[in-house]
């Protein structure tokens, strides 16, 4: 059973980023948008770890911490604070309230999961746990290091996660948030591989791959779809029929993504 982490946060962008990163590394997430709901979810679900914002509606983070630490059923659960305040007196107040640790905002996608798992028991840690272990324990072979990857996605969180995984493994990364920008970058300097989402603001990934395959200078570049929305078998068949080398679903573990990219680049060399 996957380790369960409760995230109590009222900011939609922050909760989306944290849950996405945790899920991408194999953790199950629970969420609450205010302190009252967070306490209810914690009591009902008894997660393995709790991440809690300080500035929350209804019940603030300090009160959440105090109530959790006074509850015999919950007091042993690691409790981590996320805060926009990093002054010394604020840190002391956070720890005095009962938090076991804290992270400053904005969180760093490259180190967030590694920081969280430090508070979990070894058997609770996901197999791909930290960004460092995920990207460094199985690096690409020397012949693939330095290969260039163009990542196309209209969501910054996805680009940040790709950067933390690929750049840490020796790949040279270029990112784009629209199909038009991606085509321009690819034509200026053809990458060794293109990794693209399906849903984009100025068209779809299907439109994008058709434009790539129609360009004689780009058509031989391995093209990989990675998506969390277009996940039916029909979607996958369509992407592959248009010429994609892989059609992958999010969340995907870092090591699995690296293996797929390595395989595509290896196949390209053989071709």
């Amino acid at each position: 059973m996957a380790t369960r982490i409760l995230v109590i946060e009222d900011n939609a962008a922050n909760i989306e980023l944290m849950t996405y990163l945790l899920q991408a590394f194999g953790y199950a997430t629970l969420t609450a948008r205010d302190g009252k709901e967070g306490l209810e979810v914690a009591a009902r679900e008894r997660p393995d770890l709790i991440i809690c914002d300080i500035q929350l509606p209804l019940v603030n983070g300090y009160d959440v911490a105090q109530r959790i630490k006074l509850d015999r059923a919950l007091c042993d659960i690691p409790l981590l604070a996320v805060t926009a305040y990093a002054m010394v007196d604020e840190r002391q107040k956070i720890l005095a309230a009962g938090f076991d640790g804290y992270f400053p905002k904005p969180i760093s996608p490259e180190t967030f999961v590694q920081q969280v798992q430090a508070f979990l028991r070894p058997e609770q840690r996901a197999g791909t746990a930290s960004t460092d272990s995920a990207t460094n324990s199985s690096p690409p072979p020397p012949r693939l290091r330095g290969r260039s990857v163009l990542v196309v996605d209209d969501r910054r969180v996805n680009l940040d996660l790709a950067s933390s995984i690929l750049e840490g493994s020796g790949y040279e990364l270029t990112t784009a948030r629209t199909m038009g920008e991606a085509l321009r970058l690819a034509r200026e300097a053809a990458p060794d591989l293109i990794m693209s989402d399906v849903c984009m603001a100025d068209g779809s990934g299907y439109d994008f791959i058709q434009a790539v395959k129609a360009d004689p200078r780009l058509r031989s570049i391995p093209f990989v779809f990675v998506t969390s929305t277009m996940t039916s078998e029909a979607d996958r068949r369509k992407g592959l029929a248009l010429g994609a080398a892989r059609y992958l679903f999010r969340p995907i573990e870092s090591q699995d993504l690296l293996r797929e990219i390595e395989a595509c680049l290896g196949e390209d060399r053989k071709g």
Side-chain angles (χ1 to χ4, degrees):
M1 186 180 196
T3 297
R4 298 185 306 157
I5 297 177
L6 169 60
V7 180
I8 310 173
E9 167 67 71
D10 63 327
N11 181 281
N14 290 339
I15 205 167
E16 181 181 25
L17 175 58
M18 286 188 280
T19 57
Y20 181 87
L21 291 169
L22 291 168
Q23 290 171 7
F25 282 83
Y27 295 99
T29 59
L30 305 163
T31 61
R33 298 294 291 270
D34 60 64
K36 180 176 180 294
E37 182 186 11
L39 287 167
E40 293 170 351
V41 175
R44 183 177 67 247
E45 301 292 340
R46 298 190 183 183
D48 298 294
L49 182 143
I50 300 171
I51 299 171
C52 183
D53 189 18
I54 294 297
Q55 303 298 321
L56 289 170
L58 301 184
V59 179
N60 68 39
Y62 294 120
D63 289 338
V64 169
Q66 290 171 358
R67 295 188 196 184
I68 286 176
K69 293 304 179 181
L70 288 173
D71 189 324
R72 289 185 179 181
L74 304 176
C75 62
D76 291 331
I77 298 174
L79 179 62
L80 308 178
V82 285
T83 177
Y85 305 99
M87 303 299 291
V88 173
D89 58 342
E90 187 72 22
R91 294 198 294 268
Q92 293 173 341
K93 185 177 179 181
I94 288 170
L95 297 176
F99 286 99
D100 299 295
Y102 63 89
F103 310 116
K105 289 182 179 179
I107 67 168
S108 169
E110 291 80 6
T111 60
F112 174 68
V113 177
Q114 180 183 10
Q115 291 171 320
V116 169
Q117 71 164 9
F119 293 87
L120 292 168
R121 298 191 304 272
E123 68 272 17
Q124 293 177 314
R125 297 171 188 169
T128 57
S130 73
T131 299
D132 285 346
S133 64
T135 56
N136 293 331
S137 61
S138 299
R143 62 183 176 82
L144 297 180
R145 292 186 183 181
R147 303 293 292 275
S148 59
V149 179
L150 170 61
V151 179
V152 189
D153 201 298
D154 59 354
R155 296 178 61 197
R156 172 54 58 186
V157 59
N158 291 339
L159 295 178
D160 288 343
L161 184 59
S163 296
S164 68
I165 294 170
L166 299 179
E167 289 184 330
S169 294
Y171 290 101
E172 296 178 0
L173 200 69
T174 303
T175 62
R177 299 188 69 171
T178 66
M179 184 177 75
E181 181 186 13
L183 281 171
R184 177 181 60 79
L185 291 171
R187 287 165 177 161
E188 288 177 357
D192 294 305
L193 182 140
I194 296 172
M195 187 170 77
S196 175
D197 192 12
V198 176
C199 296
M200 291 185 280
D202 62 338
S204 73
Y206 300 138
D207 299 325
F208 179 39
I209 192 173
Q210 290 181 78
V212 168
K213 297 304 179 182
D215 189 323
R217 297 167 297 174
L218 306 177
R219 65 174 53 142
S220 63
I221 297 173
F223 194 108
V224 176
F225 279 119
V226 184
T227 178
S228 59
T229 53
M230 309 295 286
T231 57
S232 71
E233 180 59 23
D235 295 323
R236 189 186 72 84
R237 286 199 302 266
K238 181 176 181 179
L240 296 176
L242 289 171
R246 298 288 190 280
Y247 195 103
L248 309 175
F249 300 148
R250 294 191 183 98
I252 181 171
E253 295 184 354
S254 299
Q255 289 180 335
D256 290 339
L257 178 61
L258 289 170
R259 279 193 290 267
E260 294 288 2
I261 290 174
E262 178 185 333
C264 287
L265 290 171
E267 292 166 6
D268 182 50
R269 286 175 62 91
K270 292 176 183 177

